Amino acid sequence: MPGWKIIVTAIECEASRAERIARRLRHAWPSSQPVSIEAALMHELIANGTDDVHIVVIVGPGECHANTTLAYLTTLDEAGVPVVAVLDQMPAPGNIFEFVKALVLPSSTDDLGLASSLMGMLHREREIRSLRQELSISQRFHGGLEGQIAQIHEELQLASTVQREFLPREIPSLAGVTFGALWRPTNYVSGDIYDISRLDEDHIGMFLADAVGHGVPAALMTMVIVRSLVLKEVTDEGYRIVPPSEVLTRLNEALIRRQGGTTRFATAAYALINCRTREITFAGAGHPHPMVLHPDGTVGSLISDGGLLGVFENEEYKESKCTFDVGTKVVMYSDGFEQAFPDETARTLRERKRPNERYRTEFERLAEIDLPQDMIRTINEKLDDQNGSLHQLDDLTMLCMCINEESSQQSPQLVSQAA
């Protein structure tokens, strides 16, 4: 192939030696393979550039420790120029020639053998340069990809911060009725959203919604839900507490109104609690029925019929009402708990990931705990103890309500959350 250029140079020995080897190589080179073989000083080679140089042959004594030599070799390596070192003595492992991935040959190699080695390298030179170019392009793409990943990571962290700002900073308590909340996204953001709000001197609203899917799309849907959530209306005459059935009806209409080409839906549950009378009015929209832990040890549910939010127009959501005794506890939760506690009797990983009813047993044990924040902490610790808890399969949210004897001092409780 025309255009090949070989430079022979010397390190830590006389330059005339490089000239002799260059002359001998020209004589040994087959006439059918055009090539330019020249001798040059190393610093001149580096100064003039190596764009048109295909191989550099370095002759020397063996071990080379000069910083300038290492600098020259590093420059050649960075330029992608192959180096062949013809040395009087084979260097020890870890030498500078090994560092730049040079081919090391003994000085006893005859001219024809050296020419053959160089010719073989030249015939692969085009392929090697192509691979180096592809590697360089891949490294640039890798660097750009790292930058994009870092940007996405930063944006998701910001999205997580924004979503957390929509959660209540404090959880109210009133007339002996206290609350606690657990919120564990499966990733940066969650498809679950909740609210616990004091509406007047008697009432507190407890709301939980679970948007279909995971990640950013589900999290964006929770923003629509929380912005469309109206629990209380202020009028010129005063205020009006919106009944649970109407709360869900309005949410359903808002989600249908904002839908584009694809249908996205959510489940939801809303309980309106009169803390003075201990009466609860409940409505659900395709959501798991909240568990009721009675002080006598029995377990019940808050049940209400209603379709998913964002699917059916003019959907009606029926209400159920009940009054509870002191000591009753209510647990409202998202459906992620069906896979949060793997089946201990399962023999395969696939079976362990299937939904099961073990969470109900864990919830029923909460009846022995008096304070909602302690109930939350207990469940949180049990979740952490599960295998694979760092990679939970679904977003998890749980709201706890405890009906206790009315205390003379009632103060808001801090939200209990797990990231």
Side-chain angles (χ1 to χ4, degrees):
M1 177 183 294
W4 282 339
K5 184 176 181 180
I6 298 175
I7 298 295
V8 182
T9 186
I11 55 173
E12 298 186 12
C13 65
E14 296 179 358
S16 59
R17 184 177 176 185
E19 294 176 355
R20 290 195 302 271
I21 292 181
R23 185 166 55 250
R24 287 158 45 190
L25 273 175
R26 285 194 291 270
H27 286 297
W29 201 267
S31 58
S32 61
Q33 302 290 330
V35 67
S36 170
I37 302 175
E38 303 173 7
L41 298 175
M42 180 67 80
H43 69 273
E44 293 176 347
L45 170 64
I46 300 300
N48 294 331
T50 60
D51 291 341
D52 60 342
V53 178
H54 295 84
I55 295 180
V56 172
V57 178
I58 297 176
V59 296
E63 294 290 347
C64 299
H65 305 286
N67 291 333
T68 53
T69 301
L70 178 59
Y72 289 148
L73 292 176
T74 301
T75 301
L76 293 174
D77 183 59
E78 292 176 348
V81 178
V83 174
V84 176
V86 181
L87 306 178
D88 298 334
Q89 182 181 357
M90 298 301 287
N95 59 83
I96 59 176
F97 299 107
E98 187 177 292
F99 174 73
V100 297
K101 300 174 285 294
L103 173 63
V104 179
L105 298 175
S107 58
S108 59
T109 304
D110 59 55
D111 297 341
L112 183 58
L114 178 58
S116 299
S117 297
L118 296 177
M119 191 180 302
M121 293 179 65
L122 288 172
H123 278 287
R124 302 302 300 270
E125 183 269 345
R126 174 180 292 182
E127 180 181 348
I128 292 173
R129 290 212 173 196
S130 177
L131 290 174
R132 282 181 177 270
Q133 184 178 15
E134 292 180 4
L135 177 60
S136 177
I137 293 173
S138 298
Q139 289 174 337
R140 289 199 297 270
F141 273 115
H142 182 265
L145 183 60
E146 282 187 332
Q148 291 180 359
I149 292 176
Q151 182 179 355
I152 293 174
H153 174 73
E154 182 178 351
E155 290 175 354
L156 287 174
Q157 283 187 319
L158 178 59
S160 175
T161 301
V162 171
Q163 188 179 36
R164 289 173 185 272
E165 291 176 353
F166 282 87
L167 300 175
R169 295 182 180 275
E170 292 183 338
I171 292 182
S173 59
L174 179 63
V177 181
T178 56
F179 301 84
L182 169 70
W183 190 71
R184 288 174 62 120
T186 188
N187 211 313
Y188 291 89
V189 291
S190 175
D192 295 349
I193 197 73
Y194 74 90
D195 187 27
I196 302 177
S197 300
R198 179 168 176 174
L199 305 177
D200 62 10
E201 296 302 314
D202 295 326
H203 295 87
I204 288 179
M206 183 170 65
F207 174 83
L208 172 58
D210 183 356
V212 61
H214 307 287
V216 174
L220 291 175
M221 191 174 181
T222 66
M223 298 298 96
V224 176
I225 292 173
V226 76
R227 292 296 300 271
S228 305
L229 184 64
V230 180
L231 305 182
K232 179 179 178 180
E233 289 182 331
V234 178
T235 64
D236 294 337
E237 292 77 21
Y239 67 88
R240 169 177 171 264
I241 295 177
V242 182
S245 59
E246 185 178 340
V247 168
L248 297 184
T249 298
R250 290 187 178 188
L251 276 178
N252 184 56
E253 293 173 352
L255 292 180
I256 292 176
R257 188 167 56 249
R258 287 174 168 82
Q259 281 182 0
T262 58
T263 300
R264 302 194 66 83
F265 58 87
T267 67
Y270 177 51
L272 176 64
I273 303 103
N274 186 325
C275 298
R276 303 294 179 186
T277 64
R278 302 193 295 276
E279 181 185 67
I280 295 180
T281 305
F282 174 75
H287 199 82
H289 301 312
M291 291 181 62
V292 180
L293 308 178
H294 296 284
D296 61 1
T298 59
V299 178
S301 300
L302 295 177
I303 299 177
S304 173
D305 295 329
L308 301 169
L309 297 177
V311 178
F312 306 106
E313 295 185 15
N314 304 318
E315 178 71 14
E316 295 183 0
Y317 298 93
K318 297 181 180 179
E319 295 179 349
S320 61
K321 293 187 178 182
C322 48
T323 302
F324 292 129
D325 297 328
V326 171
T328 301
K329 301 173 178 65
V330 176
V331 178
M332 186 181 291
Y333 57 95
S334 60
D335 61 4
F337 281 95
E338 295 177 357
Q339 294 172 285
F341 299 101
D343 184 359
E344 295 177 336
T345 64
R347 292 175 295 180
T348 66
L349 180 61
R350 176 177 295 183
E351 290 178 350
R352 287 178 59 84
K353 291 183 177 180
R354 289 176 181 171
N356 61 79
E357 296 292 309
R358 183 184 159 195
Y359 71 95
R360 297 186 62 87
T361 301
E362 300 294 343
F363 288 175
E364 290 173 7
R365 292 172 180 167
L366 298 177
E368 303 172 0
I369 303 175
D370 295 329
L371 300 177
Q373 52 265 42
D374 292 337
M375 297 168 67
I376 294 297
R377 184 175 62 253
T378 298
I379 290 296
N380 199 32
E381 291 174 352
K382 288 182 178 294
L383 291 171
D384 289 339
D385 290 340
Q386 304 303 308
N387 290 332
S389 62
L390 294 178
H391 304 281
Q392 63 188 43
L393 300 177
D394 199 358
D395 303 313
L396 300 175
T397 302
M398 184 176 75
L399 308 181
C400 295
M401 182 189 75
C402 296
I403 300 177
N404 303 310
E405 293 287 352
E406 183 173 356
S407 173
S408 60
Q409 295 181 346
Q410 296 292 341
S411 59
Q413 303 293 320
L414 293 179
V415 178
S416 174
Q417 298 178 4

